[in-house]
Amino acid sequence: MLEVKNVTIAVGERVLTENLSFIAYDGELTCITGDVASGKTTLIRTLMGFLPVKEGFVSVDGELLTIYSSHAFREMMVYLPQDAQALRIPQEEAEAPEDEADEYAVWNEVLPTAEIAQPKAPLTADELMLLATQTLQESGDKPIVIADEPTALLSSEHAYQLVGLLQQQAEQGKTVVVTSRDPMVIDRADKVINI
C-alpha cells in the first residue's frame, strides 16, 4: 500500500502538485491522470523516492518514504519507465561508477546508466510489449508495480493486453500505480487520481 498525504511537490520554484492525498491499496490498479506537464511523472519519481516532497509525506505499508530510506523501498518495486526503450539494454552493459549512475540504473536490474547510449533503432510495438511482459513476469514477489505511461507507444491491441497484465498484478495482491491519459487505462483502473 502506498499512501500520499497532503503532498506538495515542487521543482525549483514551480509547484506541480499541492496538497495531494490518496491511498493506492494492495490489489488495486490506481491510475494517476492529468494534463500534459501536470506532474504525473514527477509524482511517480516522488513515489519511488527520487524526489523529496516539499510538504506532506509518502509512506509504504505505513513506513515513511524518504530520500534516505527509498533504496530499501525500491527493492519492493518493479518499474516500467515511460521510455520503455530503456528496458532493452542488458544488465552487463549497464555498469558504471556509482557516482555516475542515473536513477533508472536501480530498476529491474536491466536498465541503463547515463553512460550507455540508447539504441538508434526504436523498438517495435511487439518488442516493447515483449519487454514489458518479461519485466512484469520477472517481478516475482515485489509487491508494488509502478508504470509511467505504459501504453503510450503501443498499438490499441497491445495496450489492452498490457493493461490486462497490470490488472493481473493487482489481482495477485500487488499495489499497481500507473500514470496515463489513455481513456482505456482510466476506464479499467480501480481508482483514478486526477492531478
Side-chain angles (χ1 to χ4, degrees):
M1 174 182 81
L2 279 169
E3 181 177 7
V4 173
K5 184 71 172 175
N6 300 325
V7 162
T8 296
I9 301 170
V11 176
E13 296 297 316
R14 183 173 175 228
V15 174
L16 296 174
T17 303
E18 193 167 22
N19 201 31
L20 177 66
S21 294
F22 68 89
I23 298 175
Y25 288 103
D26 300 345
E28 286 186 353
L29 190 155
T30 300
C31 179
I32 299 165
T33 191
D35 295 334
V36 173
S38 62
K40 297 181 298 295
T41 297
T42 303
L43 176 58
I44 288 293
R45 292 183 70 228
T46 300
L47 296 179
M48 296 185 303
F50 287 118
L51 185 67
V53 296
K54 185 172 181 179
E55 294 177 10
F57 69 86
V58 175
S59 67
V60 178
D61 292 333
E63 298 290 327
L64 192 61
L65 183 136
T66 67
I67 294 288
Y68 305 107
S69 66
S70 62
H71 176 72
F73 289 115
R74 283 194 293 268
E75 291 180 6
M76 301 168 54
M77 300 176 184
V78 63
Y79 177 48
L80 295 177
Q82 186 171 10
D83 180 10
Q85 301 284 346
L87 292 171
R88 83 187 306 175
I89 298 176
Q91 179 181 3
E92 58 269 15
E93 293 177 351
E95 295 178 6
E98 261 185 52
D99 61 337
E100 294 181 20
D102 73 7
E103 66 192 50
Y104 290 124
V106 302
W107 292 105
N108 307 330
E109 301 178 331
V110 295
L111 298 178
T113 68
E115 297 298 307
I116 304 296
Q118 290 293 320
K120 293 185 181 181
L123 294 172
T124 65
D126 287 338
E127 291 169 324
L128 289 170
M129 183 65 189
L130 178 62
L131 283 171
T133 301
Q134 288 174 338
T135 300
L136 290 173
Q137 288 172 343
E138 294 169 4
S139 66
D141 296 337
K142 294 185 177 187
I144 300 171
V145 177
I146 297 188
D148 192 7
E149 299 282 357
T151 63
L153 301 174
L154 298 177
S155 66
S156 312
E157 180 182 337
H158 284 124
Y160 189 83
Q161 291 171 356
L162 182 56
V163 174
L165 291 174
L166 291 167
Q167 287 178 307
Q168 287 175 7
Q169 296 286 307
E171 289 166 5
Q172 293 172 17
K174 297 183 181 186
T175 300
V176 181
V177 179
V178 177
T179 65
S180 185
R181 296 180 67 228
D182 184 337
M184 185 268 299
V185 178
I186 294 167
D187 288 345
R188 292 177 68 185
D190 296 301
K191 180 185 296 175
V192 178
I193 309 300
N194 195 345
I195 63 171

